[in-house]
Structure formats: structure tokens, C-alpha cells
Amino acid sequence: MCGIEQLVWANTRAFPNAKYVCGIMTGSMEPYLKRLRHYAGELPLLNGDYASTEGCIGVNVNPRLPPELATYAVPPQVGYLEFIPLTQLEKNDATSSFLNPVGLTEVKFGEEFEIVITNPAGLYRCRLEDVVKVVGFHNSTPEMKFVRRSNLVLTINIDKTTETELQLAVEAASEVLAEEKLEVVGFTSHVDLSKEQGHYVISWEINGEASEQVLGECCNCLDKSFVNDRYITSPKDNSIGPLELRLVRRGTFQKILEHSLELGAAGSQYKSPRCVGATNTDVLQILTDNVVKTYLSTAFN
């Protein structure tokens, strides 16, 4: 069990009058909802407010909604918030000086934005690298849904795979793994460019021993589940190599957590990395040192 599951398991017995479980359950935490529901039993799960180290971004005004549907009303008094339309980021380089953020009153329903915050502590125009979508309005303030982190993108050629797409692919492959009553307890990804034909690498930590056949099927399922057009066409023209699934030892993601804490990361703010960049050599080395099996996709052969 991970820490939150142990906490829920203990509290439902130590505190039988508990009414609900409250926590952050969106974004990179969403893959754990299934297990959290299992251990919480009949206790409802309430998603907390949308906050960051830099300040409060949104308040969950509909706490009874399932965590997957959580939305946040933006409190206008906590700081000065600006929003970069995602269409601008797609047309320009992320560091471009031509980006033109809009104010809180200028966001439009149905569009996606990256958040920029200026807070009372003196932080000026800090890009949070969070992408949100405007899904409505609470009175006159926008109500937003967290979509993904903007900087978590796998890319080799013209492909751009987001954290959301990665998560959906892992969920699809996890259904194959569930046939042997096993589950993924930790996952991350990176791009391997050590050869001329680069490819995606997905690292899994699972809670038991799976058969070679099932893990091979999981690898193929991962590859086929990336549905954006730019990725699908790339294996056909040989610009991207077959996806690689690497199985790592139990406890590998605990080692990554401990490494982050040693570098000064706050335990309350830590999130398991879903995409490891080429410059994060320490984490890549931890993953490499703990590989026990590897599988190459044959989905596009």
C-alpha cells in the first residue's frame, strides 16, 4: 500500500465516524483514485482546493462532484492571475516574448490556458506551467478544470504526447495487466534518443509477477493507445522506433521520492514524475539501475 492508502485504511478503523476523505486527486494523482476508492470503502472522496506554492488558484465550489469532474472557481483577491491561451503556445516557442496573456475577465468558455501568477509576496508573472480549461462561471468568476502540466510532453519528431495522453495509455494497458489480478503502482516515461531512431520508454513498477505474454500485450497496448495523429503516422515512416516497456524493481519509485527529498523537495508537494527530461540524469540512472525486464512493441510491425 502507498502512504495515503495506509492512512485511509487505518482511519476507517481508528475513526469509524469519519465522514469523507479529502485530498488532491487530480492531475498526476488521478491514477490512484481506483485504489483509493477501494481502501476508503463507503467514505466519499472530496477533492481539495486548487493551490500551489505560489498561491491559491481556485476553490472547489462543488465538493460533492467525483474527483474526476472537479472544477475550481477562481478567487480574484488572492493575487493577480493572467492566462496564456494555449493556441498562442502552440504557435510560438514557450519562451517567446510575443506571448500575450489575458486577464481574468477576458478568458473564454471552452478554451484552454496556462496560468501566470503575480502574488502579494512579490513573485512577479510566474508561469505555473499548469493548463486549465474554462468550463463555466461561478457568479462572475471563471470556473476551471485542471487539464495537465504543460511541460510534461514526450516528443521526438513532430509528435507531442501530453501527460493526459500518457495517463490514458497507461490506464488502457493496466486493464490488460488486471487479467492477472495485478496493478501498476508507479509509472513514468522518457524519450530515448541514444539511437538514430528515437522511441518512447515507459517504466512500470507493478505489485507482483506477470507472465511474459501479458507484459508483451501491455507493451503493444501502450503503443497503440497514443492516438494523436502525429504519433500514429511516425512509426509507419520509421521516424519513431517501437515503444519500450521497462519493468523496474519494487521500491524504485520510493527511491526516486527519497532522492527528491534529499535535494530539498517538500514531502507535501512531491509528485511522482510522469515524464523525466534528458537533463534529469539522477532519476534516469535510478530507473536504469532498477530495470528487471524490457519489452519492445510489435504493434506497428
Side-chain angles (χ1 to χ4, degrees):
M1 278 186 280
C2 68
I4 185 64
E5 292 163 354
Q6 290 176 323
L7 183 62
V8 171
W9 183 87
N11 283 351
T12 52
R13 288 154 178 77
F15 305 101
N17 295 323
K19 302 300 182 184
Y20 59 88
V21 177
C22 183
I24 304 301
M25 303 171 193
T26 56
S28 60
M29 299 300 181
E30 192 169 324
Y32 303 109
L33 274 175
K34 184 177 180 180
R35 276 185 288 157
L36 190 56
R37 284 194 171 102
H38 170 76
Y39 289 106
E42 296 181 359
L43 288 179
L45 304 181
L46 272 62
N47 198 70
D49 294 334
Y50 180 9
S52 68
T53 306
E54 295 80 9
C56 179
I57 309 301
V59 176
N60 187 356
V61 292
N62 300 299
R64 292 183 181 274
L65 286 177
E68 296 92 338
L69 303 178
T71 59
Y72 308 91
V74 182
Q77 76 279 10
V78 297
Y80 185 68
L81 295 178
E82 297 173 280
F83 303 86
I84 304 173
L86 210 62
T87 51
Q88 285 189 30
L89 293 174
E90 292 171 349
K91 292 178 181 178
N92 300 286
D93 182 83
T95 60
S96 172
S97 59
F98 297 102
L99 296 177
N100 184 29
V102 299
L104 188 62
T105 60
E106 299 171 283
V107 298
K108 296 181 180 179
F109 174 81
E111 294 188 1
E112 294 184 352
F113 302 87
E114 183 184 314
I115 300 173
V116 180
I117 186 171
T118 299
N119 68 17
L123 194 65
Y124 179 70
R125 290 194 123 180
C126 175
R127 290 176 60 178
L128 298 185
E129 298 183 327
D130 283 2
V131 175
V132 295
K133 181 176 182 178
V134 179
V135 295
F137 292 86
H138 183 77
N139 296 327
S140 297
T141 193
E143 198 166 331
M144 301 184 173
K145 179 177 177 62
F146 178 86
V147 178
R148 58 180 170 84
R149 294 280 291 170
S150 65
N151 62 342
L152 295 174
V153 177
L154 292 168
T155 181
I156 295 174
N157 188 18
I158 60 172
D159 56 300
K160 289 185 179 179
T161 299
T162 67
E163 179 186 15
T164 302
E165 292 169 330
L166 171 63
Q167 183 172 308
L168 290 173
V170 170
E171 288 176 359
S174 295
E175 294 298 319
V176 178
L177 188 66
E179 294 176 6
E180 296 201 350
K181 298 182 179 180
L182 297 173
E183 59 184 1
V184 178
V185 297
F187 71 90
T188 190
S189 64
H190 69 275
V191 168
D192 186 346
L193 299 175
S194 60
K195 299 179 181 179
E196 183 177 350
Q197 194 182 38
H199 64 281
Y200 289 2
V201 177
I202 312 296
S203 298
W204 271 13
E205 180 181 328
I206 63 176
N207 64 342
E209 297 291 331
S211 68
E212 297 290 312
Q213 179 182 351
V214 166
L215 289 171
E217 291 176 7
C218 288
C219 183
N220 288 344
C221 183
L222 283 168
D223 210 4
K224 291 186 292 185
S225 295
F226 292 114
V227 295
N228 69 77
D229 294 338
R230 291 167 291 190
Y231 181 82
I232 292 175
T233 58
S234 295
K236 296 177 182 178
D237 61 20
N238 292 321
S239 59
I240 294 181
L243 178 142
E244 181 180 0
L245 173 62
R246 295 181 181 177
L247 208 62
V248 297
R249 293 185 181 89
R250 292 296 305 271
T252 297
F253 284 86
Q254 179 65 26
K255 291 179 181 178
I256 295 173
L257 165 61
E258 292 169 356
H259 171 72
S260 298
L261 296 179
E262 288 173 0
L263 294 179
S268 59
Q269 294 289 324
Y270 176 79
K271 299 180 181 67
S272 185
R274 296 306 181 207
C275 180
V276 182
T279 58
N280 198 347
T281 54
D282 289 342
V283 172
L284 288 174
Q285 192 61 52
I286 292 173
L287 291 168
T288 300
D289 291 344
N290 286 277
V291 172
V292 291
K293 292 180 181 179
T294 62
Y295 302 86
L296 284 178
S297 168
T298 58
F300 296 99
N301 287 0

